[in-house]
Each structure stands twice: as C-alpha cells, then as structure tokens.
Amino acid sequence: MRLSDWPLPYVRVACKQCDREGRMKIAGLIERFGPDREMFVVREKLTEPGCKRENKKLPCQSILPDALLVQAIMEPDESKVIDPKLIEDAREWRAKR
C-alpha cells in the first residue's frame, strides 16, 4: 500500500522490541516521502534509525498498529475483513471520507 492510499489522517508506528510508539500526520509524511512511497518503507525509515532495541544485530520489529483497521476500511466485502471486531469502526471511518 502506498502512502496516498492510507485512509486515516495519521500513521501510527510502534516497535515491539523497544516499546517506542509514535503518530504522524499523513500529510506531513506524504510531503516528506512522496505519495507513492510504500508503507513498509515509510515504517522502516521512521523506526529503524531510532530503535532502542538492545541487540542491534536483530532487526527492528516495528509495526503499523492500525493496519488491520485500514484493511477493514479498504475491504468492500465485510466477510473478508480479517478482524470482524473492527467492522463498526471501519464503517465510521468510511462515512468520514
């Protein structure tokens, strides 16, 4: 998924190894990285350099905590939503668009 496809007004990233978490506005990220940059690249560039993991030989374990919500928002067939608990939230986000 590209940055310009991300339906939320922000992107949250978190690292499971060092417990850091942050939230950035999508508009600022598009300005910084461009609209066509893939989300996995953005996630990596935002977390890898500052990751405070103890063992630097292991990769940063950053994640996009809202990825399942985004999947639910983007999926037109609700029967294919990975986490059905997010369907109601996804409906609300879709209504805002």
Side-chain angles (χ1 to χ4, degrees):
M1 174 177 279
R2 298 173 312 156
L3 259 174
S4 60
D5 298 328
W6 191 259
L8 303 176
Y10 57 84
V11 174
R12 286 190 312 139
V13 291
C15 177
K16 290 187 172 226
Q17 285 190 32
C18 72
D19 294 327
R20 290 179 63 216
E21 186 170 328
R23 177 175 148 158
M24 287 128 291
K25 291 180 180 179
I26 194 76
L29 291 173
I30 288 174
E31 185 176 307
R32 180 174 169 187
F33 295 108
D36 294 328
R37 185 65 67 136
E38 293 291 330
M39 290 303 298
F40 73 92
V41 174
V42 172
R43 175 194 48 81
E44 194 173 89
K45 289 189 176 292
L46 291 173
T47 56
E48 181 67 35
C51 184
K52 302 201 183 315
R53 64 191 180 281
E54 290 182 25
N55 186 348
K56 293 290 185 180
K57 292 181 181 179
L58 296 175
C60 176
Q61 291 185 358
S62 62
I63 61 168
L64 297 168
D66 297 314
L68 288 177
L69 174 59
V70 168
Q71 187 271 338
I73 293 168
M74 303 293 285
E75 178 56 61
D77 182 352
E78 289 184 350
S79 70
K80 294 181 181 178
V81 170
I82 295 170
D83 186 350
K85 294 179 287 192
L86 296 172
I87 290 174
E88 192 58 42
D89 288 340
R91 287 177 185 155
E92 289 176 25
W93 278 105
R94 274 188 238 120
K96 292 178 187 179
R97 291 169 79 187

Coordinates of all heavy atoms in Angstrom, one line a residue:
M1 N 0.8 -1.2 0.0 CA 0.0 0.0 0.0 C 0.9 1.2 0.0 O 1.9 1.3 0.7 CB -0.9 0.0 1.2 CG -1.7 1.2 1.4 SD -2.8 1.2 2.8 CE -4.2 0.3 2.1
R2 N 0.5 2.2 -0.8 CA 1.2 3.5 -0.9 C 0.7 4.5 0.2 O -0.4 4.3 0.6 CB 1.1 4.1 -2.2 CG 1.7 3.2 -3.3 CD 1.4 3.7 -4.7 NE 0.0 4.0 -4.8 CZ -0.5 4.9 -5.7 NH1 0.3 5.5 -6.5 NH2 -1.8 5.2 -5.8
L3 N 1.5 5.4 0.5 CA 1.1 6.5 1.5 C -0.2 7.1 1.0 O -1.1 7.4 1.9 CB 2.2 7.5 1.6 CG 3.1 7.5 2.8 CD1 4.2 8.5 2.6 CD2 2.4 7.6 4.1
S4 N -0.3 7.4 -0.2 CA -1.5 8.1 -0.7 C -2.8 7.3 -0.6 O -3.9 7.8 -0.7 CB -1.3 8.6 -2.2 OG -1.1 7.5 -3.0
D5 N -2.6 6.0 -0.4 CA -3.8 5.1 -0.3 C -4.2 4.9 1.1 O -5.3 4.4 1.4 CB -3.4 3.7 -0.9 CG -3.1 3.7 -2.3 OD1 -3.7 4.5 -3.0 OD2 -2.3 2.9 -2.7
W6 N -3.4 5.3 2.1 CA -3.7 5.1 3.5 C -4.9 6.0 3.9 O -4.9 7.2 3.7 CB -2.5 5.6 4.3 CG -2.5 5.3 5.8 CD1 -2.9 6.1 6.8 CD2 -2.2 4.0 6.4 NE1 -2.8 5.4 8.0 CE2 -2.4 4.2 7.8 CE3 -1.8 2.8 5.9 CZ2 -2.1 3.1 8.7 CZ3 -1.6 1.7 6.8 CH2 -1.7 1.9 8.2
P7 N -6.0 5.4 4.4 CA -7.2 6.2 4.5 C -7.3 7.0 5.8 O -8.3 7.8 5.9 CB -8.3 5.1 4.5 CG -7.6 3.9 5.1 CD -6.2 4.0 4.6
L8 N -6.5 6.8 6.8 CA -6.5 7.5 8.0 C -5.7 8.8 7.9 O -4.8 8.9 7.1 CB -5.9 6.6 9.2 CG -6.6 5.3 9.4 CD1 -5.9 4.5 10.5 CD2 -8.1 5.5 9.7
P9 N -6.1 9.8 8.7 CA -5.3 11.1 8.7 C -4.0 11.0 9.4 O -3.3 12.0 9.4 CB -6.3 12.1 9.3 CG -7.1 11.2 10.3 CD -7.2 9.9 9.6
Y10 N -3.6 9.9 9.9 CA -2.4 9.7 10.7 C -1.9 8.3 10.4 O -2.6 7.4 10.0 CB -2.6 10.0 12.2 CG -3.6 9.0 12.7 CD1 -3.3 7.7 13.1 CD2 -5.0 9.4 12.8 CE1 -4.3 6.9 13.6 CE2 -5.9 8.6 13.3 CZ -5.6 7.3 13.7 OH -6.5 6.4 14.2
V11 N -0.6 8.1 10.7 CA 0.0 6.8 10.7 C 0.7 6.6 12.0 O 1.5 7.4 12.5 CB 1.1 6.7 9.6 CG1 1.8 5.4 9.6 CG2 0.5 6.9 8.2
R12 N 0.3 5.5 12.7 CA 1.0 5.1 13.9 C 2.0 4.0 13.6 O 1.7 3.1 12.9 CB 0.0 4.6 15.0 CG -0.9 5.6 15.6 CD -1.7 5.1 16.8 NE -2.3 3.9 16.5 CZ -2.4 2.9 17.4 NH1 -1.8 2.9 18.6 NH2 -3.1 1.8 17.1
V13 N 3.2 4.2 14.2 CA 4.2 3.1 14.2 C 4.6 2.8 15.6 O 4.6 3.6 16.5 CB 5.4 3.5 13.3 CG1 5.0 3.6 11.8 CG2 6.0 4.8 13.8
A14 N 5.0 1.5 15.8 CA 5.4 1.0 17.1 C 6.5 0.0 16.9 O 6.5 -0.7 15.9 CB 4.2 0.5 17.9
C15 N 7.3 -0.2 17.9 CA 8.4 -1.2 17.9 C 8.1 -2.1 19.1 O 8.0 -1.7 20.2 CB 9.8 -0.6 18.0 SG 11.0 -1.9 18.0
K16 N 8.0 -3.4 18.7 CA 7.7 -4.4 19.8 C 8.9 -4.7 20.7 O 8.8 -5.2 21.7 CB 7.2 -5.7 19.2 CG 5.8 -5.5 18.6 CD 5.3 -6.9 18.1 CE 3.9 -6.7 17.7 NZ 3.0 -7.7 18.3
Q17 N 10.1 -4.3 20.2 CA 11.3 -4.6 21.0 C 11.7 -3.5 22.0 O 12.1 -3.7 23.1 CB 12.5 -4.8 20.0 CG 12.5 -6.1 19.4 CD 13.8 -6.4 18.7 OE1 14.9 -6.0 19.1 NE2 13.7 -7.1 17.6
C18 N 11.5 -2.2 21.5 CA 11.9 -1.1 22.4 C 10.7 -0.3 23.0 O 10.9 0.7 23.7 CB 12.9 -0.2 21.7 SG 12.2 0.8 20.4
D19 N 9.5 -0.7 22.7 CA 8.3 -0.1 23.2 C 8.1 1.4 22.8 O 7.3 2.1 23.4 CB 8.2 -0.2 24.7 CG 8.1 -1.7 25.2 OD1 7.4 -2.4 24.5 OD2 8.6 -2.0 26.2
R20 N 8.8 1.8 21.8 CA 8.5 3.2 21.3 C 7.3 3.2 20.4 O 7.0 2.2 19.7 CB 9.7 3.6 20.5 CG 10.9 3.9 21.3 CD 12.1 4.4 20.5 NE 11.9 5.6 19.8 CZ 12.3 5.9 18.6 NH1 13.0 5.1 18.0 NH2 12.0 7.1 18.1
E21 N 6.6 4.2 20.4 CA 5.4 4.4 19.5 C 5.3 5.9 19.2 O 5.5 6.7 20.0 CB 4.2 3.9 20.2 CG 3.0 3.9 19.3 CD 1.7 3.2 20.0 OE1 1.9 2.2 20.7 OE2 0.6 3.6 19.6
G22 N 4.8 6.1 18.0 CA 4.6 7.5 17.5 C 3.5 7.6 16.5 O 3.0 6.5 16.0
R23 N 3.0 8.8 16.3 CA 1.9 9.0 15.4 C 2.2 10.3 14.6 O 2.6 11.3 15.2 CB 0.6 9.2 16.3 CG -0.6 9.5 15.5 CD -1.8 9.5 16.4 NE -2.7 10.5 16.0 CZ -4.0 10.5 16.3 NH1 -4.4 9.5 17.1 NH2 -4.8 11.4 15.9
M24 N 2.1 10.2 13.3 CA 2.4 11.3 12.4 C 1.3 11.6 11.5 O 0.6 10.6 11.1 CB 3.7 11.0 11.6 CG 5.0 11.1 12.5 SD 6.0 9.6 12.3 CE 5.1 8.3 13.1
K25 N 1.1 12.8 11.1 CA 0.0 13.2 10.2 C 0.4 12.7 8.8 O 1.6 12.8 8.3 CB -0.2 14.7 10.1 CG -0.8 15.2 11.4 CD -1.0 16.7 11.3 CE -1.6 17.2 12.6 NZ -1.8 18.7 12.5
I26 N -0.5 12.1 8.1 CA -0.3 11.6 6.7 C 0.2 12.7 5.8 O 1.0 12.4 4.9 CB -1.5 10.8 6.2 CG1 -1.2 10.0 5.0 CG2 -2.7 11.8 5.9 CD1 -0.5 8.7 5.3
A27 N -0.4 13.9 5.9 CA 0.0 15.0 5.0 C 1.5 15.3 5.1 O 2.2 15.4 4.1 CB -0.8 16.2 5.3
G28 N 2.0 15.3 6.4 CA 3.5 15.5 6.6 C 4.3 14.4 6.0 O 5.4 14.6 5.5
L29 N 3.8 13.2 6.1 CA 4.6 12.0 5.6 C 4.6 12.0 4.1 O 5.6 11.7 3.5 CB 4.0 10.7 6.2 CG 4.2 10.5 7.7 CD1 3.4 9.2 8.1 CD2 5.6 10.3 8.0
I30 N 3.5 12.4 3.5 CA 3.4 12.5 2.0 C 4.4 13.6 1.6 O 5.1 13.4 0.6 CB 2.0 12.7 1.5 CG1 1.2 11.4 1.7 CG2 2.0 13.2 0.1 CD1 -0.3 11.6 1.4
E31 N 4.5 14.7 2.3 CA 5.4 15.7 1.9 C 6.8 15.3 2.0 O 7.7 15.6 1.2 CB 5.1 17.0 2.8 CG 6.0 18.2 2.4 CD 5.6 19.4 3.3 OE1 4.4 19.7 3.4 OE2 6.5 19.9 3.9
R32 N 7.1 14.5 3.1 CA 8.5 14.0 3.4 C 8.9 12.9 2.4 O 10.0 12.9 1.9 CB 8.5 13.6 4.8 CG 9.8 13.1 5.3 CD 9.8 12.8 6.7 NE 11.0 12.0 7.2 CZ 11.1 11.6 8.4 NH1 10.1 11.7 9.3 NH2 12.2 10.9 8.7
F33 N 8.0 11.9 2.2 CA 8.4 10.7 1.4 C 7.8 10.6 0.0 O 8.2 9.8 -0.8 CB 8.0 9.5 2.2 CG 8.7 9.3 3.5 CD1 8.0 9.5 4.7 CD2 10.0 8.9 3.6 CE1 8.7 9.3 5.9 CE2 10.7 8.8 4.8 CZ 10.0 9.0 5.9
G34 N 6.8 11.4 -0.3 CA 6.1 11.4 -1.5 C 4.9 10.4 -1.5 O 4.9 9.5 -0.7
P35 N 3.9 10.7 -2.3 CA 2.6 9.9 -2.2 C 2.8 8.5 -2.6 O 2.0 7.6 -2.2 CB 1.7 10.7 -3.1 CG 2.6 11.4 -4.1 CD 3.8 11.7 -3.3
D36 N 3.8 8.2 -3.4 CA 3.9 6.8 -4.0 C 4.8 5.9 -3.2 O 5.0 4.7 -3.5 CB 4.4 6.9 -5.4 CG 3.4 7.5 -6.4 OD1 2.2 7.4 -6.1 OD2 3.9 8.2 -7.3
R37 N 5.3 6.4 -2.1 CA 6.2 5.6 -1.2 C 5.4 4.5 -0.5 O 4.3 4.7 0.0 CB 6.9 6.4 -0.2 CG 7.9 5.7 0.7 CD 9.1 5.3 -0.1 NE 9.8 6.4 -0.6 CZ 11.1 6.5 -0.6 NH1 11.8 5.5 -0.1 NH2 11.7 7.6 -1.0
E38 N 5.9 3.3 -0.6 CA 5.2 2.1 0.0 C 5.2 2.2 1.6 O 6.2 2.7 2.2 CB 5.9 0.8 -0.4 CG 5.7 0.5 -1.8 CD 4.3 0.1 -2.2 OE1 3.5 -0.4 -1.4 OE2 3.9 0.4 -3.4
M39 N 4.1 1.8 2.2 CA 4.0 1.9 3.7 C 5.1 1.2 4.4 O 5.6 1.6 5.4 CB 2.6 1.5 4.1 CG 1.5 2.4 3.7 SD 1.7 4.1 4.3 CE 1.7 3.8 6.1
F40 N 5.5 0.0 3.9 CA 6.6 -0.7 4.6 C 7.9 0.0 4.6 O 8.6 0.0 5.6 CB 6.7 -2.2 4.1 CG 7.4 -2.3 2.8 CD1 8.7 -2.4 2.7 CD2 6.6 -2.2 1.6 CE1 9.4 -2.5 1.4 CE2 7.3 -2.3 0.4 CZ 8.6 -2.5 0.3
V41 N 8.1 0.8 3.6 CA 9.4 1.6 3.5 C 9.3 2.8 4.5 O 10.2 3.1 5.2 CB 9.6 2.1 2.1 CG1 10.8 3.1 2.0 CG2 9.8 0.9 1.1
V42 N 8.1 3.4 4.5 CA 7.9 4.5 5.5 C 8.0 4.0 6.9 O 8.8 4.6 7.7 CB 6.5 5.2 5.2 CG1 6.2 6.2 6.3 CG2 6.4 5.8 3.9
R43 N 7.4 2.9 7.2 CA 7.5 2.4 8.6 C 9.0 2.1 8.9 O 9.4 2.5 10.0 CB 6.7 1.1 8.6 CG 6.9 0.3 10.0 CD 6.4 -1.1 9.9 NE 6.8 -1.9 8.8 CZ 8.0 -2.5 8.7 NH1 8.9 -2.4 9.7 NH2 8.3 -3.2 7.7
E44 N 9.7 1.5 8.0 CA 11.1 1.2 8.3 C 11.9 2.5 8.5 O 12.7 2.6 9.4 CB 11.6 0.4 7.1 CG 13.0 -0.3 7.4 CD 13.3 -1.2 6.2 OE1 13.9 -0.7 5.3 OE2 12.9 -2.4 6.3
K45 N 11.7 3.4 7.6 CA 12.5 4.7 7.7 C 12.2 5.5 9.0 O 13.0 6.2 9.5 CB 12.3 5.5 6.5 CG 12.9 5.0 5.2 CD 12.9 5.9 4.1 CE 13.6 5.4 2.9 NZ 15.1 5.3 3.0
L46 N 11.0 5.4 9.5 CA 10.6 6.1 10.7 C 11.1 5.4 11.9 O 11.4 6.1 12.9 CB 9.1 6.2 10.8 CG 8.4 7.1 9.7 CD1 6.9 7.0 9.8 CD2 8.9 8.6 9.9
T47 N 11.2 4.1 11.9 CA 11.6 3.4 13.2 C 13.0 2.9 13.3 O 13.6 3.0 14.3 CB 10.6 2.2 13.4 OG1 10.7 1.4 12.2 CG2 9.2 2.7 13.6
E48 N 13.6 2.4 12.2 CA 14.9 1.7 12.3 C 16.0 2.6 12.8 O 16.7 2.2 13.7 CB 15.2 1.2 10.9 CG 16.6 0.5 10.8 CD 16.6 -0.8 11.6 OE1 15.6 -1.5 11.6 OE2 17.6 -1.2 12.1
P49 N 16.1 3.8 12.3 CA 17.3 4.6 12.8 C 17.2 4.9 14.3 O 18.3 5.0 15.0 CB 17.2 5.9 12.0 CG 16.3 5.6 10.9 CD 15.4 4.5 11.3
G50 N 16.1 5.1 14.9 CA 15.9 5.5 16.3 C 15.6 4.3 17.2 O 15.3 4.5 18.4
C51 N 15.5 3.1 16.7 CA 15.1 2.0 17.5 C 16.1 1.8 18.6 O 17.3 1.7 18.4 CB 14.9 0.7 16.7 SG 14.3 -0.7 17.6
K52 N 15.6 1.6 19.8 CA 16.4 1.4 21.0 C 16.5 0.0 21.5 O 16.7 -0.3 22.6 CB 15.9 2.3 22.1 CG 15.9 3.8 21.7 CD 15.9 4.7 22.9 CE 15.8 6.1 22.6 NZ 16.6 6.7 21.6
R53 N 16.4 -0.9 20.5 CA 16.5 -2.4 20.9 C 17.9 -2.7 21.4 O 18.8 -2.1 21.0 CB 16.1 -3.2 19.7 CG 17.1 -3.1 18.5 CD 16.5 -3.8 17.3 NE 17.4 -3.7 16.1 CZ 17.5 -2.6 15.4 NH1 16.8 -1.5 15.6 NH2 18.4 -2.6 14.3
E54 N 17.9 -3.6 22.3 CA 19.2 -3.9 23.0 C 20.1 -4.6 22.0 O 21.3 -4.3 22.0 CB 18.9 -4.9 24.2 CG 18.3 -4.2 25.3 CD 18.1 -5.1 26.5 OE1 18.8 -6.0 26.7 OE2 17.2 -4.8 27.3
N55 N 19.7 -5.5 21.2 CA 20.5 -6.3 20.3 C 20.4 -5.7 18.9 O 19.4 -6.0 18.2 CB 20.2 -7.8 20.3 CG 21.1 -8.6 19.5 OD1 21.9 -8.1 18.7 ND2 21.0 -9.9 19.6
K56 N 21.3 -4.8 18.5 CA 21.3 -4.2 17.2 C 21.5 -5.1 16.0 O 21.3 -4.8 14.9 CB 22.3 -3.0 17.1 CG 22.0 -1.9 18.0 CD 20.8 -1.1 17.6 CE 20.6 0.1 18.4 NZ 19.4 0.9 18.1
K57 N 21.9 -6.4 16.3 CA 22.1 -7.4 15.3 C 20.7 -7.9 14.8 O 20.6 -8.4 13.7 CB 22.9 -8.5 15.7 CG 24.4 -8.1 16.0 CD 25.2 -9.3 16.4 CE 26.6 -8.8 16.7 NZ 27.5 -9.9 17.1
L58 N 19.7 -7.8 15.7 CA 18.3 -8.2 15.3 C 17.6 -7.0 14.6 O 17.9 -5.9 15.0 CB 17.5 -8.6 16.5 CG 18.1 -9.9 17.3 CD1 17.2 -10.1 18.5 CD2 18.0 -11.1 16.4
P59 N 16.8 -7.3 13.7 CA 16.1 -6.2 13.0 C 15.1 -5.5 14.0 O 14.6 -6.1 14.9 CB 15.4 -6.8 11.8 CG 15.2 -8.3 12.3 CD 16.4 -8.6 13.1
C60 N 14.8 -4.3 13.7 CA 13.7 -3.6 14.4 C 12.4 -4.3 14.1 O 12.2 -4.7 13.0 CB 13.6 -2.1 13.9 SG 12.3 -1.1 14.6
Q61 N 11.6 -4.4 15.1 CA 10.3 -5.1 15.0 C 9.2 -4.1 14.9 O 8.2 -4.2 15.7 CB 10.1 -6.2 16.0 CG 11.1 -7.3 15.9 CD 10.8 -8.4 16.9 OE1 9.9 -8.3 17.8 NE2 11.5 -9.5 16.9
S62 N 9.3 -3.1 14.1 CA 8.2 -2.1 14.0 C 7.0 -2.6 13.3 O 7.1 -3.5 12.4 CB 8.8 -0.9 13.3 OG 9.1 -1.1 12.0
I63 N 5.9 -2.1 13.7 CA 4.6 -2.5 13.1 C 3.8 -1.2 12.9 O 4.1 -0.2 13.4 CB 3.8 -3.5 14.0 CG1 3.5 -2.8 15.4 CG2 4.6 -4.8 14.2 CD1 2.5 -3.5 16.2
L64 N 2.7 -1.4 12.1 CA 1.7 -0.4 11.9 C 0.5 -0.8 12.7 O -0.3 -1.7 12.2 CB 1.4 -0.2 10.4 CG 2.5 0.3 9.5 CD1 2.2 0.1 8.1 CD2 2.9 1.7 9.9
P65 N 0.3 -0.3 13.9 CA -0.8 -0.8 14.8 C -2.2 -0.7 14.1 O -3.1 -1.4 14.5 CB -0.7 0.0 16.0 CG 0.7 0.5 16.0 CD 1.1 0.7 14.6
D66 N -2.4 0.2 13.2 CA -3.7 0.4 12.6 C -3.9 -0.3 11.3 O -4.9 -0.1 10.6 CB -3.9 1.9 12.4 CG -4.0 2.7 13.7 OD1 -4.6 2.2 14.6 OD2 -3.3 3.7 13.8
A67 N -3.0 -1.2 11.0 CA -3.0 -1.9 9.7 C -4.3 -2.8 9.5 O -4.9 -2.8 8.4 CB -1.8 -2.8 9.5
L68 N -4.7 -3.4 10.6 CA -6.0 -4.2 10.5 C -7.2 -3.3 10.3 O -8.1 -3.7 9.6 CB -6.1 -5.1 11.7 CG -5.2 -6.3 11.7 CD1 -5.4 -7.1 13.0 CD2 -5.4 -7.2 10.5
L69 N -7.2 -2.2 11.0 CA -8.3 -1.2 10.8 C -8.3 -0.7 9.3 O -9.4 -0.6 8.7 CB -8.2 0.0 11.7 CG -9.2 1.1 11.6 CD1 -10.6 0.6 11.7 CD2 -8.9 2.2 12.5
V70 N -7.1 -0.4 8.8 CA -7.1 0.0 7.4 C -7.6 -1.1 6.5 O -8.3 -0.8 5.5 CB -5.6 0.5 7.1 CG1 -5.4 0.6 5.6 CG2 -5.3 1.7 7.8
Q71 N -7.2 -2.3 6.7 CA -7.7 -3.4 5.9 C -9.2 -3.5 6.0 O -9.9 -3.6 4.9 CB -7.1 -4.7 6.4 CG -7.4 -5.9 5.5 CD -8.7 -6.7 5.9 OE1 -9.2 -6.6 7.0 NE2 -9.2 -7.4 4.9
A72 N -9.8 -3.3 7.2 CA -11.2 -3.3 7.3 C -11.9 -2.1 6.6 O -12.9 -2.3 6.0 CB -11.6 -3.3 8.8
I73 N -11.3 -1.0 6.6 CA -11.8 0.2 5.9 C -11.7 0.0 4.4 O -12.7 0.3 3.7 CB -11.0 1.5 6.3 CG1 -11.2 1.8 7.7 CG2 -11.4 2.7 5.4 CD1 -10.3 2.9 8.3
M74 N -10.7 -0.5 3.9 CA -10.4 -0.7 2.5 C -11.2 -1.9 1.8 O -11.5 -1.9 0.6 CB -8.9 -0.8 2.2 CG -8.1 0.3 2.7 SD -8.4 1.9 1.9 CE -7.6 1.6 0.3
E75 N -11.5 -2.9 2.6 CA -12.2 -4.1 2.1 C -13.7 -3.9 1.9 O -14.4 -3.7 2.8 CB -12.0 -5.2 3.1 CG -12.6 -6.5 2.6 CD -12.2 -7.0 1.3 OE1 -11.0 -7.2 1.1 OE2 -13.0 -7.1 0.4
P76 N -14.1 -3.9 0.6 CA -15.5 -3.7 0.3 C -16.4 -4.8 0.8 O -17.6 -4.6 1.1 CB -15.6 -3.5 -1.2 CG -14.3 -4.1 -1.7 CD -13.3 -4.0 -0.6
D77 N -15.9 -6.0 0.9 CA -16.6 -7.2 1.3 C -16.4 -7.5 2.8 O -15.3 -8.0 3.1 CB -16.2 -8.4 0.4 CG -17.0 -9.7 0.8 OD1 -17.8 -9.7 1.7 OD2 -16.9 -10.6 0.0
E78 N -17.3 -7.1 3.6 CA -17.1 -7.2 5.1 C -16.8 -8.7 5.5 O -16.2 -8.9 6.6 CB -18.2 -6.6 5.8 CG -18.3 -5.1 5.7 CD -19.3 -4.5 6.6 OE1 -20.2 -5.1 7.1 OE2 -19.3 -3.2 6.7
S79 N -17.2 -9.6 4.7 CA -17.0 -11.0 5.1 C -15.5 -11.4 5.0 O -15.0 -12.4 5.5 CB -17.8 -12.0 4.2 OG -17.3 -12.0 2.9
K80 N -14.7 -10.5 4.3 CA -13.3 -10.7 4.1 C -12.4 -9.9 5.1 O -11.2 -9.9 5.0 CB -12.9 -10.4 2.7 CG -13.5 -11.4 1.7 CD -13.1 -11.0 0.3 CE -13.7 -12.0 -0.7 NZ -13.3 -11.6 -2.1
V81 N -13.1 -9.2 6.0 CA -12.3 -8.4 7.0 C -11.6 -9.4 7.9 O -12.3 -10.3 8.5 CB -13.2 -7.4 7.7 CG1 -12.6 -6.8 8.9 CG2 -13.8 -6.4 6.8
I82 N -10.3 -9.2 8.1 CA -9.5 -10.1 8.9 C -10.0 -10.1 10.4 O -10.1 -11.1 11.0 CB -8.0 -9.7 8.8 CG1 -7.6 -10.0 7.4 CG2 -7.2 -10.5 9.8 CD1 -6.2 -9.4 7.1
D83 N -10.2 -8.9 11.0 CA -10.7 -8.8 12.4 C -12.1 -8.2 12.4 O -12.3 -7.0 12.3 CB -9.7 -7.9 13.2 CG -10.1 -7.9 14.6 OD1 -11.1 -8.4 15.0 OD2 -9.2 -7.3 15.4
P84 N -13.1 -9.1 12.4 CA -14.5 -8.6 12.4 C -14.9 -7.6 13.5 O -15.8 -6.8 13.3 CB -15.3 -9.9 12.5 CG -14.4 -11.0 12.1 CD -13.0 -10.5 12.5
K85 N -14.1 -7.5 14.6 CA -14.4 -6.6 15.6 C -14.2 -5.1 15.1 O -14.7 -4.2 15.8 CB -13.5 -6.8 16.8 CG -13.8 -8.2 17.5 CD -12.9 -8.4 18.7 CE -11.6 -8.7 18.2 NZ -10.6 -9.2 19.1
L86 N -13.5 -5.0 14.0 CA -13.2 -3.6 13.5 C -14.2 -3.1 12.5 O -14.1 -2.0 12.0 CB -11.8 -3.6 12.9 CG -10.6 -3.9 13.9 CD1 -9.3 -4.1 13.2 CD2 -10.5 -2.8 15.0
I87 N -15.1 -4.0 12.1 CA -16.1 -3.6 11.1 C -16.8 -2.3 11.4 O -17.0 -1.4 10.6 CB -17.0 -4.7 10.8 CG1 -16.3 -5.9 10.1 CG2 -18.2 -4.3 9.9 CD1 -17.1 -7.1 9.8
E88 N -17.3 -2.2 12.6 CA -18.1 -1.0 13.0 C -17.2 0.3 12.9 O -17.6 1.3 12.4 CB -18.7 -1.1 14.4 CG -19.7 -0.1 14.8 CD -20.8 0.0 13.8 OE1 -21.3 -1.1 13.4 OE2 -21.3 1.1 13.4
D89 N -16.0 0.2 13.4 CA -15.0 1.3 13.3 C -14.7 1.6 11.9 O -14.7 2.8 11.5 CB -13.7 1.0 14.1 CG -13.8 1.0 15.6 OD1 -14.8 1.6 16.1 OD2 -13.0 0.4 16.2
A90 N -14.6 0.6 11.1 CA -14.3 0.8 9.6 C -15.5 1.5 9.0 O -15.3 2.4 8.1 CB -14.1 -0.5 9.0
R91 N -16.7 1.2 9.3 CA -17.9 1.8 8.8 C -17.9 3.3 9.1 O -18.2 4.2 8.3 CB -19.2 1.2 9.3 CG -19.4 -0.1 8.7 CD -20.7 -0.7 9.3 NE -20.9 -2.1 8.8 CZ -21.6 -3.0 9.5 NH1 -22.2 -2.7 10.7 NH2 -21.8 -4.2 9.0
E92 N -17.5 3.6 10.4 CA -17.4 5.0 10.8 C -16.4 5.8 10.0 O -16.6 6.9 9.6 CB -17.1 5.1 12.3 CG -18.3 4.7 13.2 CD -18.0 4.7 14.6 OE1 -17.1 5.4 15.1 OE2 -18.6 3.9 15.4
W93 N -15.2 5.2 9.8 CA -14.1 5.9 9.0 C -14.6 6.1 7.6 O -14.3 7.1 7.0 CB -12.8 5.1 9.1 CG -12.1 5.4 10.4 CD1 -11.9 4.5 11.5 CD2 -11.3 6.5 10.7 NE1 -11.2 5.1 12.4 CE2 -10.8 6.4 12.0 CE3 -11.1 7.7 10.0 CZ2 -10.0 7.4 12.6 CZ3 -10.3 8.7 10.6 CH2 -9.8 8.5 11.9
R94 N -15.2 5.1 7.0 CA -15.7 5.2 5.6 C -16.7 6.3 5.5 O -16.7 7.1 4.5 CB -16.3 3.9 5.1 CG -15.3 2.9 4.6 CD -16.0 1.7 4.0 NE -15.6 0.5 4.6 CZ -16.3 -0.3 5.3 NH1 -17.6 -0.2 5.3 NH2 -15.8 -1.4 5.9
A95 N -17.5 6.5 6.5 CA -18.5 7.6 6.5 C -17.9 9.0 6.5 O -18.4 9.9 6.0 CB -19.5 7.4 7.6
K96 N -16.7 9.1 7.1 CA -16.0 10.3 7.2 C -15.3 10.7 5.9 O -15.0 11.9 5.7 CB -14.9 10.3 8.3 CG -15.4 10.1 9.7 CD -14.3 10.0 10.7 CE -14.8 9.8 12.1 NZ -13.6 9.6 13.0
R97 N -15.1 9.8 5.0 CA -14.3 10.0 3.8 C -15.2 10.7 2.8 O -16.3 10.8 2.6 CB -13.8 8.7 3.2 CG -12.7 8.2 4.1 CD -12.3 6.8 3.8 NE -11.4 6.8 2.6 CZ -11.0 5.8 1.9 NH1 -11.4 4.6 2.3 NH2 -10.2 5.8 0.9

